[in-house]
Amino acid sequence: MAVFDTPQAAFGALRPACVQLTRAQTVENVRRLQAHLAAVSGAALQELQEYVLFPLRFALRVPGPKQERLVQSLVQCISSVLAATCVRKRELLQELFSELCTCLAPPPGSGKPAPLSEELKLAVIQALHTLMHSAYGDVVLSLYQPSALPLLGFAVSLLLGLAEQEKAKQIKISALECLQVLVLQCDCQEHRHLDEEEAQRCGDLFASFLPGISITLSRVITGDIKQGHKTTVSAIRLFYLIVGSVMSDAQLARIPKSKEKLPVEQSRISELMVHRGPDWSKSTAQKLSILLHKVVESSSVHPHWKVRLELVELVHHLLRNCSQSLVDSFSHLLKALVGLVNDESSEVQSRCNEVLRGIAEQRVVAQSRALADVLSENLHSLATALPRLMNSQDDTGKVSTLSLLLGYLKLLGPKINVVLNSVSHLQRLSRALVQVLELDVTDVKIVEERRWGPPGCWQQGVQRGRCQKKYFRFFTEERVFQLLQQVCRVLGYYGNLYLLVDHFMGLYSESGLYRKQAAMVLNELLTGAAGLGVDVLQEREVPPSVDDLKGSVTSILDEYTDQANWYLITSVDAEEASPEHSLQRSGLAARLGGPCSSVLLPSPEPQVTTRSMNSNIWQICIQLEGVGCFAAVLGKEFRLLLLSALYPVLEKAGDRTLLISETALGTLADICEACSYDSVQCLINENSDYLVNGISLNLRQLAHQSHASQVLDTMLRHSDASLLPLVEDVIQDVLSALDQSYNHQASTFLGVLHSVMTALVQWSGMCSAERHQQGQTGKRPSGAQSQGQQEVTTTRQEVERFFLDYVRQKQIAEGDVPDVGEEEEEEADEVPPLAETEPDNGDTDGEAALPIHTQLARDVMERCIHLLSDGSLRVRLKVLDVLELCVTVLHPHGNHLLPMAHRVWPALVTRLISDDPLAVLRAFKVLCTLAQTCGDFLRQRFSKDVLPKLTSSLLSQAPASARAGPVYSHTLAFKLQLAVLQGLGSLCERLDMGESDLNKVADACLIYLSAKQPVKLQEAAQSVFLHLMQVDPDSTWLLLSEVCCPEPWEPPHASLRPVRLGGMGRPRNELTDNALLLLHRLQQQESTGPGASSTREASPP
């Protein structure tokens, strides 16, 4: 369609449609006119604006009922005309405004909006919005004269009714946006900025509407959350714009004392006008304070972040424009602002901090004594109510309350000291913090979780410490704890450090109920004082010096590591609790810090409960975390305090309570990071001299022996072989202390000796690996030649052994069997040559050249021999563990190991054949280790003293395990059977047992091949036969073939007798599957072994 650019052409095109619409007001005629309007240019339509609007306005004015579709079409067509043109006549603006408002007018006498369709309401609102934007220049101000006040009030009331009572979200939002345009607070740039006089006149006019607008908008803001966040945001924006305009400090300051008199003809209108004098502004401010309180309370906890962000804008706008007129509302506005400082939304946080920093930069609080007083009073009342609120509110309410507390402190900034210097304020705040931070100490798992076994503890790398997750009595949300941390850090950042430390140290010493909480607060105070992890609005004037920080840290450390606070009862285990009991009941006579803290000692007979032990564990952990915090605060300066701090932390790193040991290891990692140590190993090695000295001194005192052993244990776990020369004397001190007090402290010292031997095994293993690697490197040039010689030697030995075995078997077959006594004498005679030839392979200097670790292992093994018969099962189990490690360390030195093995054998046999099943299990592990290292030395002893007992035990237990159900696998009897079966085969192979002994083992294990046995026992029995195949494959084949022979053996020649085996033709039974599997494995072994051809020739076809 062509575009009509000139008024003449446009008139010719539009005239028929306009005439037709004037004659017949139908939807089709309106659409026809709108279609023609689309082809007219904006300039041409501007000239024909009133002509085109006439039929549309006429159609709206026609009396009588009209269809809603027609009215909607007319309004939309008017809106399109206004969007393309400008209204340049005041009369036209007012008439159009009135006519559009009439479309929304409710029936006479009805207080509710007109029952119109949502589409029509939305069209009228959009048309009003377009009309206000199309008003040209000063024309729009004609609506804001006193004479137009009734018309303006009519429109405001209509739009407020739609915003409040409509269900459709789009209508509510459009009505609020139209109202914003109507009060000349539009966000667009099309309207020119009002000068002071014009703004003053509009403010006088809008003052008449302020009560209705503010009350209605407050109801919308606090309405149902289902209305959506956009409606609430629009209502909040309109609220603060209209209030900021009417209650502006600048405008109210220019209001004359007396009301301006209007002409006589406007006398009735003058009654509607409001004089914004002092009385009116004071009364209005009081009423607005109530509404603002409702708005703040509702919006500050709104789930949508944009609503909370708009609330920040409300506070900012009103504080900037109405700080004097709305002084009564200042506390509500400030509460809203500081409460949102730690909002979960980053956008709200950022904007709120930006506003608060603006206030701080302008030094509003510092320059306003009244504001500082308001904040301090609010802080006092909030601290008073804090325990009650934390006990009654949900998590959201607790976060809001603590955000408010934190915001007050941040806003006070350096003025915090004014609050802290008041005894009442400081007491309220400190009591509130220690009550809110009360821990939940009812969880029994904290006491139950123990640090067992060394394997996981021998890690050279320790992760940086993290605070242990704590469980509090009054809250569970992690964010609540983070806010409390920030509160304490802000106090430490701005407050008087000496005053705060002294006050909370008093609470720490006052009662055990406050000790854990006071320690947490002290840790955070020092962290905040150093400026670590604290978020503030303004910098402090004078930060504390390093000497101030060091002085506070030193005093707190002395109190933390005082024996009354450090050595607490954390277990009822006899081996761990007894030192603490004896230490505390003795009145701490050995305490180095003097008698001043003896008032903290418990009663002579303290009642040890799970709750008290749990509380003690948490107290120690919090104090350990404090040591890590102090290291971070002082950095490298903390090295000067290591003399007093490192030893106690290492004690706790060796504690049996898992939570304490983990926390202590984290603290060690924190110290390493703060003091620039590469690792915990470097930390220990560089400070080992004074640590070793402390251990030596404490080993001489019975009450401190267990703690010294824990330090040594930790040092060994986290160091390397370079530490060995330093701790050699200390280990000898431990052995001496064990000799003197083995009746009471044997279990404790054996734990240290276990760590010592574990370290020696690890270090000697690394050294052996290095020597082996060097040896391989040295031999590498002649590798091919050596390999050829080895092959020849191996073949010669095999041939020699084959003929010797052949001669012996032939003698036995002819009946020439030697007596048992002669065998024992022969085998006994074979031992001394082994012992004599062993030193030939080693150093000719004997003990003079014995390495340190070997000498220590021999000394430890000497004590183990004496303690193997101890009456305590716990001690015997620990002795067996240590003994196994000693054998491993002494393995390369057979001339020392074999005599020690000879001495330990009688006691070990007793543990194997007549002791608790747990001890038998451990003793069998030691026996397997001895077999790996001593070899033939134990053959006769094992055959005579141990093997009969083991085989008889296996035979007697087999029926029970065959009948047992799935629960049997959890019993000690099953574990003992499994361990014996898993180790018996390797024992037979390593000791090169004789045929009679092998037959005993095979007969005892055969029954465990039954399918009725547990699967693990079947697999273990299979491993026994696999080892027997390596020692005597022929006898093993014959035994298994007697059980099950899958194929008949046909003689290769008719002159030979047929072979008859017991397993031929036997029906399938419970042994068949495992026997077939083993026979198959034996066949594979013979087909792939080095002597496969000779074996096949000797075997039946």
Side-chain angles (χ1 to χ4, degrees):
M1 184 180 292
V3 177
F4 302 100
D5 295 327
T6 62
Q8 295 79 9
F11 179 78
L14 295 175
R15 184 175 180 277
C18 291
V19 172
Q20 185 65 25
L21 179 59
T22 306
R23 291 176 178 173
Q25 294 81 29
T26 63
V27 176
E28 290 75 14
N29 290 337
V30 177
R31 290 176 178 172
R32 187 179 297 110
L33 174 60
Q34 193 158 5
H36 284 84
L37 288 173
V40 178
S41 66
L45 186 59
Q46 180 66 51
E47 297 294 328
L48 300 174
Q49 182 191 51
E50 293 188 54
Y51 178 78
V52 174
L53 288 175
F54 175 78
L56 298 171
R57 294 172 58 195
F58 178 77
L60 286 177
R61 290 179 178 179
V62 172
K66 292 183 270 303
Q67 294 181 357
E68 286 192 3
R69 289 181 56 208
L70 173 62
V71 177
Q72 181 181 344
S73 299
L74 291 170
V75 171
Q76 289 174 342
C77 191
I78 291 173
S79 183
S80 64
V81 172
L82 294 175
T85 61
C86 294
V87 177
R88 298 176 178 176
K89 293 183 178 180
R90 299 180 179 182
E91 295 79 7
L92 179 61
L93 174 63
Q94 293 185 9
E95 290 174 0
L96 281 173
F97 191 83
S98 175
E99 290 164 1
L100 289 174
C101 289
T102 306
C103 296
L104 294 175
S110 173
K112 297 181 179 181
L116 305 174
S117 65
E118 294 180 355
E119 291 79 7
L120 177 57
K121 293 176 184 177
L122 192 59
V124 174
I125 294 172
Q126 291 174 347
L128 283 171
H129 192 280
T130 306
L131 175 63
M132 295 301 297
H133 280 85
S134 67
Y136 183 79
D138 296 335
V139 175
V140 71
L141 293 179
S142 64
L143 274 178
Y144 300 95
Q145 301 296 327
S147 59
L149 189 60
L151 177 60
L152 202 59
F154 178 56
V156 169
S157 63
L158 286 175
L159 293 173
L160 285 175
L162 292 174
E164 182 181 8
Q165 299 176 17
E166 277 296 325
K167 300 296 183 183
K169 295 180 182 180
Q170 188 58 44
I171 294 179
K172 295 168 79 73
I173 297 172
S174 298
L176 291 170
E177 291 176 349
C178 188
L179 264 175
Q180 188 175 336
V181 176
L182 199 58
V183 296
L184 299 179
Q185 299 292 339
C186 184
D187 298 329
C188 68
Q189 303 296 325
E190 298 177 13
H191 294 109
R192 70 178 181 84
H193 185 70
L194 301 178
D195 57 27
E196 287 186 3
E197 185 178 351
E198 292 170 343
Q200 187 86 13
R201 190 165 57 250
C202 290
D204 292 337
L205 201 67
F206 297 150
S208 302
F209 310 138
L210 183 61
I213 292 178
S214 59
I215 292 173
T216 304
L217 290 179
S218 66
R219 288 199 294 261
V220 174
I221 295 170
T222 59
D224 191 353
I225 197 174
K226 294 179 181 178
Q227 67 183 356
H229 73 278
K230 291 184 178 180
T231 303
T232 308
V233 168
S234 299
I236 294 175
R237 183 180 298 117
L238 180 57
F239 184 92
Y240 70 73
L241 288 174
I242 187 67
V243 172
S245 173
V246 175
M247 301 297 293
S248 171
D249 293 337
Q251 291 189 24
L252 293 178
R254 295 193 297 267
I255 297 294
K257 293 183 179 181
S258 59
K259 185 176 181 181
E260 182 183 357
K261 293 185 179 181
L262 294 177
V264 178
E265 61 271 12
Q266 297 184 1
S267 59
R268 294 191 62 186
I269 294 178
S270 67
E271 296 177 0
L272 301 176
M273 296 290 292
V274 171
H275 178 63
R276 293 186 290 170
D279 295 338
W280 178 90
S281 61
K282 183 177 181 180
S283 174
T284 304
Q286 292 175 351
K287 296 171 182 176
L288 283 174
S289 178
I290 299 174
L291 297 179
L292 280 169
H293 181 66
K294 293 181 180 179
V295 169
V296 166
E297 289 294 324
S298 172
S299 303
S300 60
V301 295
H302 197 282
H304 202 283
W305 66 271
K306 288 188 177 180
V307 174
R308 303 193 299 275
L309 181 63
E310 201 63 33
L311 179 60
V312 176
E313 298 297 339
L314 178 146
V315 176
H316 181 229
H317 186 83
L318 295 185
L319 286 177
R320 184 179 57 186
N321 296 305
C322 312
S323 59
Q324 297 178 11
S325 60
L326 296 179
V327 65
D328 294 337
S329 305
F330 203 80
S331 60
H332 302 314
L333 301 178
L334 203 57
K335 180 179 179 180
L337 190 61
V338 299
L340 294 172
V341 170
N342 294 284
D343 192 85
E344 60 185 12
S345 169
S346 59
E347 290 85 354
V348 177
Q349 267 191 26
S350 175
R351 179 56 181 157
C352 194
N353 284 321
E354 183 180 342
V355 172
L356 285 172
R357 283 195 179 90
I359 296 174
E361 289 171 1
Q362 297 169 10
R363 301 184 64 82
V364 175
V365 178
Q367 296 174 1
S368 173
R369 177 63 183 272
L371 178 56
D373 290 343
V374 169
L375 283 173
S376 61
E377 288 304 316
N378 288 352
L379 185 63
H380 183 271
S381 60
L382 183 58
T384 304
L386 189 61
R388 175 180 56 82
L389 294 175
M390 297 297 288
N391 196 23
S392 60
Q393 290 180 323
D394 59 4
D395 286 341
T396 304
K398 292 171 184 175
V399 170
S400 177
T401 300
L402 289 173
S403 297
L404 181 61
L405 176 64
L406 180 58
Y408 283 153
L409 294 174
K410 286 185 176 181
L411 204 53
L412 277 169
K415 286 283 186 179
I416 281 181
N417 285 315
V418 176
V419 177
L420 298 180
N421 288 334
S422 168
V423 176
S424 173
H425 283 73
L426 182 57
Q427 286 283 356
R428 288 287 186 183
L429 186 58
S430 60
R431 296 284 179 176
L433 288 175
V434 296
Q435 288 180 38
V436 169
L437 284 169
E438 183 177 350
L439 287 167
D440 180 9
V441 292
T442 58
D443 188 6
V444 72
K445 290 183 180 179
I446 300 298
V447 181
E448 285 181 342
E449 288 181 337
R450 316 296 288 163
R451 181 173 60 85
W452 298 115
C457 304
W458 290 89
Q459 302 175 5
Q460 296 300 324
V462 179
Q463 294 184 353
R464 187 180 183 275
R466 294 184 300 113
C467 290
Q468 297 289 347
K469 179 175 176 58
K470 301 174 182 66
Y471 300 92
F472 296 89
R473 181 181 173 187
F474 294 112
F475 60 88
T476 56
E477 185 69 31
E478 183 66 21
R479 178 158 172 73
V480 176
F481 180 56
Q482 293 172 358
L483 287 172
L484 286 168
Q485 284 181 311
Q486 281 296 314
V487 167
C488 299
R489 290 177 184 178
V490 170
L491 279 174
Y493 186 82
Y494 288 119
N496 185 331
L497 184 59
Y498 282 109
L499 173 64
L500 290 168
V501 169
D502 182 69
H503 180 76
F504 281 98
M505 285 301 293
L507 290 177
Y508 180 91
S509 305
E510 180 180 327
S511 170
L513 296 176
Y514 298 149
R515 196 162 297 145
K516 296 181 292 298
Q517 302 94 296
M520 278 190 280
V521 174
L522 285 168
N523 297 343
E524 300 301 335
L525 284 176
L526 268 296
T527 303
L532 303 176
V534 60
D535 183 25
V536 293
L537 296 175
Q538 52 185 317
E539 296 294 327
R540 53 192 168 185
E541 298 173 356
V542 181
S545 65
V546 176
D547 291 337
D548 293 337
L549 292 174
K550 191 184 297 181
S552 298
V553 166
T554 303
S555 62
I556 298 174
L557 266 180
D558 289 343
E559 195 69 25
Y560 279 2
T561 55
D562 186 273
Q563 295 185 11
N565 302 320
W566 197 253
Y567 300 119
L568 304 174
I569 300 173
T570 59
S571 171
V572 292
D573 190 352
E575 77 171 285
E576 297 175 51
S578 55
E580 282 79 0
H581 275 289
S582 61
L583 187 65
Q584 293 189 355
R585 291 178 183 175
S586 64
L588 298 181
R591 186 169 56 84
L592 302 177
C596 59
S597 62
S598 61
V599 294
L600 298 178
L601 290 179
S603 59
E605 295 294 335
Q607 183 180 2
V608 180
T609 62
T610 302
R611 187 184 184 91
S612 64
M613 289 188 292
N614 196 333
S615 177
N616 291 340
I617 290 170
W618 275 119
Q619 181 182 332
I620 294 171
C621 289
I622 292 168
Q623 292 171 171
L624 284 167
E625 290 172 359
V627 177
C629 291
F630 303 155
V633 166
L634 294 179
K636 289 188 177 181
E637 291 293 326
F638 192 75
R639 289 194 176 204
L640 301 176
L641 301 179
L642 286 178
L643 290 174
S644 59
L646 184 56
Y647 190 95
V649 174
L650 288 174
E651 280 183 0
K652 297 306 176 186
D655 198 281
R656 277 294 180 189
T657 302
L658 182 64
L659 193 68
I660 294 177
S661 62
E662 286 184 347
T663 307
L665 290 175
T667 300
L668 289 173
D670 290 336
I671 294 174
C672 290
E673 181 174 350
C675 299
S676 301
Y677 289 105
D678 294 335
S679 63
V680 176
Q681 177 181 324
C682 295
L683 172 67
I684 293 174
N685 289 349
E686 293 190 23
N687 296 278
S688 57
D689 49 355
Y690 95 87
L691 291 173
V692 169
N693 182 59
I695 294 172
S696 298
L697 292 175
N698 287 324
L699 281 175
R700 300 169 189 172
Q701 305 177 34
L702 178 63
H704 294 276
Q705 285 179 347
S706 61
H707 304 132
S709 64
Q710 289 175 351
V711 177
L712 180 59
D713 180 36
T714 306
M715 292 177 65
L716 292 169
R717 290 176 185 274
H718 298 283
S719 190
D720 56 8
S722 62
L723 186 67
L724 188 56
L726 286 172
V727 299
E728 179 185 2
D729 294 336
V730 176
I731 297 173
Q732 293 295 340
D733 291 342
V734 171
L735 294 175
S736 300
L738 176 61
D739 294 339
Q740 295 172 7
S741 58
Y742 64 90
N743 289 333
H744 306 289
Q745 298 287 341
S747 182
T748 300
F749 289 127
L750 283 171
V752 180
L753 294 179
H754 189 280
S755 298
V756 171
M757 297 314 303
T758 305
L760 294 182
V761 168
Q762 185 185 29
W763 299 340
S764 62
M766 294 170 60
C767 297
S768 300
E770 292 175 359
R771 289 196 300 269
H772 178 71
Q773 185 177 1
Q774 293 174 359
Q776 292 295 327
T777 306
K779 295 177 182 178
R780 203 166 288 166
S782 59
Q785 183 179 358
S786 300
Q787 184 176 0
Q789 292 176 356
Q790 184 178 1
E791 289 179 359
V792 174
T793 303
T794 304
T795 305
R796 187 182 303 116
Q797 290 175 349
E798 287 181 352
V799 172
E800 181 180 358
R801 185 182 302 113
F802 173 77
F803 282 108
L804 289 175
D805 290 342
Y806 174 76
V807 171
R808 182 182 299 175
Q809 295 297 332
K810 186 175 181 182
Q811 291 175 350
I812 294 174
E814 294 175 353
D816 187 7
V817 181
D819 296 336
V820 178
E822 295 178 2
E823 286 185 357
E824 291 180 358
E825 291 177 1
E826 290 176 1
E827 293 186 8
D829 292 339
E830 292 175 2
V831 175
L834 179 61
E836 291 172 3
T837 56
E838 182 74 2
D840 295 340
N841 299 330
D843 199 336
T844 57
D845 294 338
E847 294 187 9
L850 204 61
I852 297 176
H853 66 276
T854 306
Q855 180 65 44
L856 289 175
R858 192 175 68 175
D859 294 341
V860 172
M861 193 170 180
E862 186 81 32
R863 271 69 176 186
C864 291
I865 294 173
H866 298 295
L867 290 172
L868 262 180
S869 303
D870 192 272
S872 170
L873 175 62
R874 183 192 299 273
V875 171
R876 295 200 301 276
L877 293 176
K878 288 191 174 186
V879 169
L880 288 168
D881 289 338
V882 175
L883 185 62
E884 183 180 1
L885 296 170
C886 292
V887 172
T888 304
V889 175
L890 290 173
H891 170 51
H893 305 277
N895 55 334
H896 297 283
L897 174 61
L898 295 181
M900 298 300 293
H902 177 73
R903 292 177 57 191
V904 80
W905 182 255
L908 182 63
V909 171
T910 305
R911 304 282 74 78
L912 281 166
I913 63 177
S914 59
D915 204 337
D916 187 274
L918 278 173
V920 174
L921 196 59
R922 301 281 180 90
F924 189 76
K925 288 179 60 180
V926 176
L927 176 63
C928 294
T929 306
L930 274 173
Q932 294 176 6
T933 54
C934 296
D936 296 342
F937 181 76
L938 293 181
R939 183 191 304 122
Q940 186 63 25
R941 291 173 171 81
F942 175 72
S943 173
K944 178 182 178 182
D945 300 332
V946 180
L947 185 60
K949 178 67 176 178
L950 291 181
T951 54
S952 63
S953 175
L954 286 175
L955 289 172
S956 63
Q957 289 292 327
S961 59
R963 296 190 305 267
V967 182
Y968 183 73
S969 60
H970 300 284
T971 63
L972 192 56
F974 171 82
K975 294 176 182 178
L976 187 57
Q977 285 176 285
L978 183 63
V980 171
L981 288 172
Q982 288 175 340
L984 197 54
S986 60
L987 275 173
C988 293
E989 183 176 358
R990 291 182 181 278
L991 298 180
D992 193 19
M993 304 299 295
E995 183 178 358
S996 60
D997 292 330
L998 294 179
N999 290 336
K1000 292 178 185 178
V1001 172
D1003 292 338
C1005 296
L1006 184 63
I1007 192 172
Y1008 286 94
L1009 294 178
S1010 170
K1012 296 179 181 180
Q1013 296 287 343
V1015 177
K1016 288 187 177 181
L1017 294 184
Q1018 295 182 48
E1019 295 172 352
Q1022 292 174 13
S1023 70
V1024 174
F1025 283 96
L1026 291 175
H1027 283 286
L1028 294 180
M1029 292 176 189
Q1030 304 295 329
V1031 181
D1032 191 352
D1034 294 337
S1035 297
T1036 306
W1037 173 83
L1038 184 60
L1039 176 64
L1040 293 174
S1041 297
E1042 291 290 335
V1043 175
C1044 175
C1045 186
E1047 298 177 0
W1049 293 92
E1050 298 294 336
H1053 194 270
S1055 62
L1056 298 176
R1057 295 181 182 179
V1059 178
R1060 298 295 179 187
L1061 298 176
M1064 290 183 177
R1066 179 174 295 182
R1068 185 182 184 86
N1069 55 31
E1070 68 268 16
L1071 301 176
T1072 304
D1073 292 339
N1074 286 317
L1076 289 174
L1077 176 63
L1078 291 170
L1079 286 171
H1080 179 66
R1081 294 286 296 272
L1082 180 60
Q1083 185 178 1
Q1084 288 180 335
Q1085 174 183 322
E1086 292 187 350
S1087 61
T1088 57
S1093 58
S1094 61
T1095 305
R1096 281 194 297 269
E1097 291 174 2
S1099 300

